[in-house]
Amino acid sequence: MTPILALRCLNILTFSIIFVPLFIPLSNAAGCQNELGLEDGGISDSQITASTVWDSNHRPSNARLNRPADYPTVGSWTAKEDDPRPWIQVDLRIPTQVTGVLMQGRAPNIDWRLLGGSNCCAQWVTKFKVQYSYDGSLWQTVQGSDNVDIIFEGNTDQTTVVIRLFPSSVTASKIRILPTAWNEHISMRFELLGCAEDPPPFSEVRLTGSDNAWEGLVEVYYNGQWGAVCDDMWDTDDGLVVCRQLGYDYVIRVTSGGHENQPFGYSAGPIVLDDVECDGWESSLNQCKWILGNGNCFFSEVAGVVCASNISMIMVPNWDNLCPNIFRNLFISEKGEE
């Protein structure tokens, strides 16, 4: 996943320093252990790929848990013998909580007569690693509390299913199994465990109350209308996620309602989100924690944000509370407003 940058203002002696922390989490919450769709076909064949394939009868889609052999098609994915870095990958297409895997060896052949009366083939993965990616560009390996890559124990025969859970859930749209040791040859069947996220209810977000597109009150589109976000628990991590969802790289500051802290006025719509809690890495509000509806907010207690793009680190004079105004004058947003 691409490192995420957030801007904050600190007053130190006679200067305000804007610095950039990084948000790269392993996971955002403990997940569950539902099967994610390999065995039951919920995950399509096109979503399963691999580094190499022995031949068309050993394709990645044969790696579904409990898939039987159906001569000449075998019951497993089988890699080429000379694959220097074997892996099999599942594209989940949407960010999903993944908590573990079920592993199984190559299915025994149904009709031994077709193969000279012998059981070909006693093949299974004995050790493996797991990698995950939020967006397909940056891959991370599941690690233990010591920050060392975990090498999971695999199978000891062809048919027994073993469960291997991660120390904590990972949020990913793509998962890879990387065999590191095997019996006879790399062949395997598997299933992913976790929880698919609910369909996103807040795919549209906008900023209102300002002439500048990069700042304003945060409003989300829900149930056929635009509504505001309560400022309870509203902080820079929440603002960073909103800015990212709108296509900006940074959050300069967040604003709250009631008085001079909220320069963008009030929302004309209802308050539709309360107690928003983001960790800062999420790509949209859909992935954060929140309460639907208005818990205890007055119409004036609404959240706002000031976003920016292409800013790294700047030192400016300590003019009382003018940091956001300075940025408003110095920078041009990626969307073209000045």
Side-chain angles (χ1 to χ4, degrees), residues 241-319:
V241 173
V242 170
C243 290
R244 184 180 304 115
Q245 188 169 351
L246 290 169
Y248 297 100
D249 299 315
Y250 311 95
V251 56
I252 295 176
R253 67 163 178 162
V254 294
T255 63
S256 56
H259 42 79
E260 67 275 4
N261 289 333
Q262 184 54 276
F264 307 122
Y266 309 124
S267 175
I271 293 176
V272 297
L273 280 186
D274 198 354
D275 292 346
V276 175
E277 289 185 82
C278 302
D279 291 327
W281 61 268
E282 299 90 344
S283 61
S284 75
L285 288 176
N286 301 319
Q287 299 169 279
C288 304
K289 297 177 182 178
W290 35 258
I291 297 174
L292 187 61
N294 183 8
N296 56 358
C297 271
F298 293 105
F299 74 96
S300 61
E301 298 175 337
V302 288
V305 69
V306 179
C307 304
S309 295
N310 295 327
I311 306 172
S312 54
M313 182 174 181
I314 294 178
M315 182 175 290
V316 296
N318 182 23
W319 299 326

Side-chain angles (χ1 to χ4, degrees), residues 171-191:
T171 299
S173 62
K174 293 176 173 56
I175 293 286
R176 282 181 180 175
I177 308 295
L178 289 78
T180 59
W182 47 87
N183 188 75
E184 289 194 359
H185 196 86
I186 300 172
S187 293
M188 57 172 281
R189 294 172 287 171
F190 73 111
E191 176 66 90

Side-chain angles (χ1 to χ4, degrees), residues 4-8 18-23 250 311-314:
I4 303 305
L5 309 177
L7 298 177
R8 293 176 172 84
I18 295 140
F19 65 99
V20 182
L22 299 178
F23 298 91
Y250 311 95
I311 306 172
S312 54
M313 182 174 181
I314 294 178

